[in-house]
Amino acid sequence: MPVSPIDWDDGTIRLLDQTLLPEETVWLNIKDIHELAEAIKMLRVRGAPAIGIAAALGVAMAANNFKDHDITSFYDHLDTVIDTLARTRPTAVNLFWALDRMRTVLSEVSVKTVEEHCQRLLAQALAIQADDRATCRIMGKYGAALLSDSPTVLTHCNAGGLATGDYGTALGVFYAAQEMGKTIRVYADETRPLLQGSRLTAWELMQANIDVVVLPDSAAGMLLASGRIEAVFTGADRIAGNGDVANKIGTYPLAVLAKRHQVPFYVVAPVSTFDLSLASGEAIPIEERHGDEVVNGFGRRTGPKGVKVFNPAFDVSPAELITAIITEHGVIRPPFTPGLAAAAERSLWKQVDDGLP
Ligand code: MRU
């Protein structure tokens, strides 16, 4: 069973501190919104769906902490809380999607008491977490069906249980393949500079007894040229209306290499990662992080003090490099625009419980 990185425990958010993996397994007890904002900024909790779940639970926690106040100051306080969380990380749209859902619940006019708001906000946050767990399992099955019986695949960053409710998007495909009885070998890009591939993906795949091999990002070209890779699978942080995909820095060169070597490049992401308000990936805000992550990472200076550093946390892979986008509503192939719009619409219907499978 893949690990669940976020738990709700009677008013406290329990987070597995991902900055300490794989050496230490430390759970944080988050009781305050500023602690949560720090945990998101510092990547103690990370990965697009997990950030959304943590933020939603954060709103529920803040509401619960403020439940003894009058309703007007309650609304003002939660506005500030939502703004604080929205300022933590700019690229993963799941954060804003989850906060929007919480805001919608909060704006329900028929609710007249703080107590009832608190109950509804918590129910909504837990539903976001439960939906994500179910969604990842569905995407996993769609993705695994594309694989042979003994596939060797390549992935980048961590799009696993640690990055979601508990199962993963790209790694969910590998878990589903294993559940179907396939024998899978996963090559995991190390993922400079924060090493989500070697620290997190390798750790969680080993926990699940999946054969995993870590490689430096720069070895991916050689590996793809060797013909050993059946397909590349990654997650996504934001998908624009035309199918351009923002994901962890280094995904774009991987997509170029996959195309060059005619290896299918699959992106696995739920509808909560779509941003159809953006026509293309050019408009996706890309987070830039501190240069120390590159030249002074993990407590070891690897570049001269004071050197200038370029450290974007994400890049955008153009739609033309992507073979298919695997969602909870099926596998979308180019041209992506109509398929993405149809999947998003289907998700909207699901929110009003239309009885669709
Ligand atoms: O900076 P991170 O570790 O939050 O970046 C995570 C990624 O880029 C993941 O690939 C993406 O969020 C998809 S997770 C299912």
Side-chain angles (χ1 to χ4, degrees):
M1 175 66 180
V3 67
S4 155
I6 308 166
D7 263 326
W8 174 259
D9 182 11
D10 196 23
T12 299
I13 302 172
R14 287 179 47 76
L15 291 182
L16 178 57
D17 187 344
Q18 299 189 31
T19 62
L20 302 177
L21 288 171
E23 278 190 318
E24 288 176 74
T25 311
V26 174
W27 285 88
L28 305 169
N29 291 317
I30 304 280
K31 294 179 193 298
D32 160 83
I33 208 66
H34 299 290
E35 284 170 13
L36 179 63
E38 189 270 353
I40 296 173
K41 281 185 196 156
M42 301 308 291
L43 277 58
R44 300 187 198 287
V45 59
R46 33 77 39 213
I51 295 171
I53 294 165
L57 286 171
V59 176
M61 175 187 69
N64 189 51
N65 290 347
F66 213 72
K67 65 171 179 261
D68 295 334
H69 292 72
D70 67 80
I71 200 150
T72 311
S73 36
F74 179 80
Y75 288 138
D76 288 348
H77 178 65
L78 286 195
D79 267 352
T80 312
V81 162
I82 289 173
D83 287 350
T84 302
L85 291 170
R87 280 198 304 271
T88 51
R89 296 193 75 190
T91 303
V93 79
N94 305 60
L95 169 66
F96 307 101
W97 171 89
L99 291 175
D100 275 354
R101 284 185 74 167
M102 298 305 280
R103 218 188 267 280
T104 304
V105 167
L106 189 60
S107 61
E108 176 52 70
V109 284
S110 65
V111 178
K112 301 282 182 233
T113 66
V114 166
E115 185 65 34
E116 198 185 336
H117 273 308
C118 288
Q119 284 164 8
R120 289 169 55 89
L121 288 168
L122 178 58
Q124 178 64 43
L126 293 174
I128 288 174
Q129 185 180 39
D131 282 357
D132 178 80
R133 289 174 172 163
T135 294
C136 284
R137 282 165 175 76
I138 297 168
M139 293 190 295
K141 287 195 176 122
Y142 281 126
L146 301 169
L147 290 170
S148 69
D149 286 344
S150 315
T152 298
V153 296
L154 174 60
T155 190
H156 188 75
C157 193
N158 173 267
L162 289 168
T164 60
D166 70 357
Y167 194 75
T169 57
L171 299 201
V173 171
F174 310 155
Y175 295 131
Q178 186 189 46
E179 285 160 24
M180 286 175 187
K182 300 185 190 221
T183 309
I184 186 162
R185 163 171 277 198
V186 180
Y187 279 84
D189 273 355
E190 168 186 54
T191 316
R192 285 274 297 150
L194 294 181
L195 310 184
Q196 287 94 331
S198 59
R199 290 190 307 104
L200 307 178
T201 294
W203 180 80
E204 74 164 90
L205 290 179
M206 285 176 78
Q207 306 264 315
N209 288 318
I210 289 184
D211 182 15
V212 57
V213 182
V214 170
L215 65 151
D217 303 345
S218 47
M222 183 181 176
L223 181 64
L224 286 161
S226 76
R228 274 184 282 163
I229 299 298
E230 182 172 309
V232 180
F233 288 85
T234 72
D237 286 86
R238 199 184 285 230
I239 300 179
N242 67 344
D244 290 352
V245 170
N247 190 50
K248 178 53 55 196
I249 191 72
T251 303
Y252 168 47
L254 198 59
V256 173
L257 284 165
K259 182 88 165 179
R260 167 75 175 82
H261 297 290
Q262 294 168 354
V263 175
F265 188 92
Y266 296 115
V267 172
V268 191
V271 168
S272 53
T273 304
F274 294 7
D275 185 352
L276 303 189
S277 73
L278 304 182
S280 80
E282 262 172 63
I284 297 177
I286 299 295
E287 177 181 10
E288 282 208 33
R289 296 187 61 89
H290 201 285
D292 275 358
E293 290 180 351
V294 178
V295 293
N296 198 19
F298 304 99
R300 170 83 166 83
R301 179 154 289 288
T302 51
K305 232 179 187 155
V307 70
K308 296 189 204 73
V309 176
F310 176 51
N311 185 23
F314 301 95
D315 58 24
V316 175
S317 301
E320 74 205 45
L321 300 177
I322 294 162
T323 308
I325 299 173
I326 299 166
T327 75
E328 66 270 45
H329 300 301
V331 178
I332 303 173
R333 294 187 184 268
F336 290 117
T337 303
L340 292 172
E345 200 172 331
R346 219 173 135 97
S347 272
L348 279 179
W349 293 344
K350 276 182 101 77
Q351 280 175 38
V352 293
D353 194 11
D354 63 347
L356 285 171

